[in-house]
Structure formats: structure tokens, C-alpha cells
Amino acid sequence: MVNKLTSSLKSIFKGNTMIFVLVGVMILFEILISAHSDGNSHLFAPANITNIIRQNAYVVILATGMLLCILTGGNIDLSVGSVVALVGALAGVFIVNLQLPIWLAICLCLIIGTLIGAFHGMFIAFVHIPPFITTLAGMLLWRGVATIVLDGKPIAPFPQKYLNLFESFIPNAGEASEANEIEMFGEIIDKHVFMITMIITVICVLAYIIMEVISREKKIKSGYSVSSKTSFFAKLAFLSVVIVIMGQFLARDRGLPVILILLGIIIAAYGYFTQNTVPGRYLYAIGGNEKAARLSGVNTNKVMFFAYTNMGFISAVAALVTIARLNSAQPTAGQNYEMDAIASCFIGGASAYGGTGTVGGAVVGAIFMGVLNNGMSILGVDMNWQRAVKGMVLLLAVLFDVMSKKKRSGK
């Protein structure tokens, strides 16, 4: 019994290493921040947890798209930051200057972003120019176009109706009265916001458990190997507790950020696509062995074209989120966004050689990067040291991947 429990615990840790590392890093930052500020500041302050989600939403969004590019053989897209700047600039022109209907402006931005991605994909998939060169050219090209569109000046502010699409909360805390305020956890909390947020959190937990159970049963029926029941239910329990804890932090602040709902939809959609659809599995097949995939009948050119077209679409979504967060369209927007997205994927377990990685892992990597940025900023760490730390973390993540690959191959 003891050996079985030990084996299950090892299996849980091995399958969720980055989650445990993330939790450990967050606890470490909480200890350091509390000691540094004499207990006045906390990483786990409800308002700070909300800010981490809002400030790093663009990283999560871009990481899901970047993962698809990386899966095809370790390829990356260096142009995403510049595409964010250009689409954001056009959104500013459409919404603020031309005062187009918001839904029309959003549709136009998504179409333009997708066309930019298709432009890259055409050269990569059909002309066979290396992705690095194509997207490097795109990084320079679209940044220049964004600056031309804005004439070097920001466009602001955006109408409140647009900001509410990405920057509001559920429920609207402003509608609650003082009569709903109660003291909880040593804080004054809006009872209305707390209850609704926790109900939504519990529903999300139940939905997650049901989907995981259904997925496990399907794998068993299809003859795939699955983890033991003990390991499976222990994983469900651990992640459910994590979701509830995060939910109560949001409930103690302003409620559920609308941007979190958008992130949930994107993560669920891309997670399902990569793991449960034939086109999604083609991405892994190409990354595993492109020649073998081609001989097996996979149209590798179309798959590569899709991966980069999708990256343009995802960049446009990130642009819409970014301008809402900043409440302005700026020519300097999106700088180094591509690096954050790439680092998130590799830290989250994507292989530098392609063929390995999950959307969930990329999301954990994005949150990890966000916690690093937030924690070091609260501690007052110099920006240059922050860059050095993130660079070292990325190097260690790739080194771990390379060493693991050599160990499995016996070299």
C-alpha cells in the first residue's frame, strides 16, 4: 500500500512538475516579499493576483499560438510583437479616429491579423523560406508600418464600451451596496461579489472534473495507456484545490475578470484542438519526424501554413487585449512580446526540437513568467537583473529538455 502510494505521488509530481515548481516559486516570493516589506506587501494579496492575470493575459494568448509553431519542429515566430503593435494601431484608427462600430473594428482587426499570418505562412510553407528569416523580416516590416500608421504618436483614449469587453469584472462590483460588505479573512469584502465568484469557481471545478473523467474513459476505450486511478484522482483533487484557492483570491477582490473568461475559452479550444483532432495531431507528427509524416500522407505545407496563419490571428487577439489594458494604441507596444511567448512555451515543457508540448504547459509557463516579473518588481529588483534571471530560467528549461532527450535516447 505504501509503495503504491509512493508510486502514485511520484507519477503526479512527474506529470505536473512545472505546477509544483510554480507553486514553490510563488511561496518563495511571498516569503521574500513579506520579509522585505515587513509584512506590508504580499504576492498573494487578492488585488495582486488579479493584476498578475490582467497584466499577463497577452502572454497566455500568444503562448497558445506560439506552441503550434514550435510543435512543427522547434520553429518560432519573431514577428508577433510587431503584429500586436500594427493591429493595435489599426484598432485605434478604426475605433477612435474613424469611430467605426466596435464589433466591425474588432472583426477587421482579426481579419488583418489573420492575413498577416497567412502572408508569413505562404513564404514559409510554399516558398520554403526558413521561419526565422521570414518572421524576422516581418518583425521589422510590421513595426515600421505600425509607426507609419500612428505617425509616431499614440491614439487614446478608447471608448468605455470597448474597454468593458476586456477590462471589466463579473459581477460588476460597482453595482453592489455597502450593505453587502462583510469582514472576511481580516478584510472588508463585498458579499455579493464573493458568493457569485465562488459559485462560478465551483462550476468550473465540476466542469473540469467531468471533462477529465470523460477524456480518461475515452482513452481507455480506445486502448491508450492511462495513469492509475489513485494517481488520476489525486491529480484531480490537487488541481481542483488550486482552482478553488485562485477563485477565492479573485472573489476577495473585484470578482472574475472578463479577460479570464476569454483566456479560458482560448485555452480550452486550443487544448482540445491539439489533443483531440486530426489536424492538431498533424502538428506533433511533423515535429516528431517531418519526412515520415509526409510519407504517411500528411500535407506538411498546409499544416505549416495553418500554424503561422493562426499565429497572426492570435496576435490580433492579443493586440485587442493589449490596447484595452493600456487604453491606448502605441507604436512601441508589443516590444519583446515574442520573447515572453517563446520562453513560456519552453518553460512549460515544449521541446526545442518540436513534437512535444501542451497548451496547458504553455499556460503554466506564461503564469510562471508573470509571477517572476511581478515578484521581482515588488522586491524592487533592477530591470537588468530581471532580464538576466528570465534568460537564465529559459536556458535551464531548454537545457533540461535537451538532457532529457539525450537520456531517453541513451546517448
Side-chain angles (χ1 to χ4, degrees):
M1 184 66 181
V2 175
N3 290 335
K4 187 176 181 181
L5 180 61
T6 302
S7 177
S8 297
L9 291 174
K10 286 182 179 178
S11 176
I12 294 169
F13 182 79
K14 186 176 180 181
N16 303 277
T17 304
M18 273 310 302
I19 295 178
F20 285 102
V21 171
L22 174 61
V23 172
V25 169
M26 293 182 74
I27 293 173
L28 175 62
F29 270 124
E30 173 65 17
I31 294 171
L32 293 174
I33 291 170
S34 296
H36 185 264
S37 63
D38 296 325
N40 296 323
S41 299
H42 299 279
L43 180 73
F44 288 111
N48 193 51
I49 296 297
T50 300
N51 286 335
I52 289 175
I53 294 172
R54 294 171 62 207
Q55 290 170 0
N56 295 280
Y58 76 89
V59 186
V60 176
I61 294 170
L62 290 175
T64 57
M66 189 66 72
L67 176 69
L68 270 59
C69 297
I70 291 174
L71 288 177
T72 60
N75 300 308
I76 57 176
D77 189 334
L78 294 174
S79 69
V80 295
S82 297
V83 176
V84 166
L86 175 58
V87 174
L90 293 173
V93 172
F94 295 151
I95 297 173
V96 180
N97 293 355
L98 301 180
Q99 297 185 346
L100 296 180
I102 291 175
W103 65 268
L104 177 59
I106 290 175
C107 289
L108 288 174
C109 289
L110 294 177
I111 291 171
I112 291 170
T114 304
L115 290 175
I116 291 173
F119 178 77
H120 294 160
M122 178 186 68
F123 286 105
I124 293 168
F126 302 114
V127 185
H128 300 295
I129 298 176
F132 182 88
I133 301 300
T134 301
T135 57
L136 177 61
M139 180 177 71
L140 301 173
L141 171 62
W142 307 126
R143 177 68 63 181
V145 175
T147 305
I148 293 170
V149 169
L150 292 174
D151 195 24
K153 304 171 186 176
I155 296 177
F158 280 76
Q160 191 60 43
K161 285 185 179 179
Y162 177 79
L163 300 181
N164 288 341
L165 293 175
F166 303 101
E167 288 295 301
S168 56
F169 293 82
I170 299 176
N172 189 339
E175 296 175 354
S177 64
E178 293 184 3
N180 284 330
E181 292 182 348
I182 59 173
E183 186 173 348
M184 189 182 298
F185 304 104
E187 306 167 351
I188 301 298
I189 295 173
D190 189 306
K191 182 171 65 174
H192 177 69
V193 171
F194 186 86
M195 291 301 296
I196 292 180
T197 305
M198 290 309 298
I199 289 172
I200 295 174
T201 301
V202 171
I203 292 173
C204 290
V205 170
L206 292 176
Y208 163 71
I209 292 173
I210 291 171
M211 287 190 296
E212 286 294 311
V213 170
I214 292 175
S215 177
R216 175 183 167 85
E217 290 301 318
K218 283 184 177 179
K219 288 180 179 178
I220 292 174
K221 288 181 180 180
S222 300
Y224 292 107
S225 60
V226 295
S227 58
S228 65
K229 284 187 176 181
T230 304
S231 175
F232 175 70
F233 286 114
K235 176 186 175 181
L236 283 184
F238 173 74
L239 293 179
S240 296
V241 169
V242 171
I243 294 172
V244 170
I245 291 174
M246 293 301 296
Q248 65 85 27
F249 279 127
L250 299 177
R252 287 160 55 190
D253 187 33
R254 286 164 285 179
L256 190 71
V258 170
I259 187 62
L260 188 58
I261 297 175
L262 175 62
L263 294 181
I265 293 172
I266 292 174
I267 293 167
Y270 279 86
Y272 181 84
F273 173 77
T274 54
Q275 298 296 319
N276 297 285
T277 67
V278 174
R281 302 312 298 178
Y282 284 166
L283 295 165
Y284 289 91
I286 293 176
N289 191 321
E290 183 177 357
K291 185 176 181 180
R294 191 184 303 112
L295 293 174
S296 299
V298 177
N299 190 325
T300 56
N301 290 341
K302 284 187 177 180
V303 175
M304 289 291 288
F305 179 77
F306 165 77
Y308 281 90
T309 300
N310 173 76
M311 190 70 249
F313 169 78
I314 283 293
S315 298
V317 176
L320 296 173
V321 171
T322 299
I323 59 175
R325 172 67 179 159
L326 300 175
N327 195 15
S328 68
Q330 303 177 6
T332 57
Q335 286 186 343
N336 294 323
Y337 279 18
E338 60 278 352
M339 300 306 171
D340 288 336
I342 294 167
S344 298
C345 292
F346 288 138
I347 291 172
S351 173
Y353 303 101
T356 302
T358 63
V359 170
V363 171
V364 172
I367 297 172
F368 186 89
M369 292 291 289
V371 169
L372 274 183
N373 289 332
N374 186 266
M376 288 191 291
S377 295
I378 295 175
L379 286 172
V381 178
D382 182 77
M383 186 59 68
N384 295 318
W385 277 106
Q386 289 190 34
R387 294 192 185 99
V389 170
K390 288 190 288 186
M392 185 57 66
V393 169
L394 174 59
L395 180 62
L396 290 174
V398 176
L399 178 63
F400 178 78
D401 170 56
V402 172
M403 297 303 293
S404 298
K405 203 172 186 68
K406 285 185 177 179
K407 186 177 180 180
R408 286 194 298 269
S409 63
K411 293 182 180 179

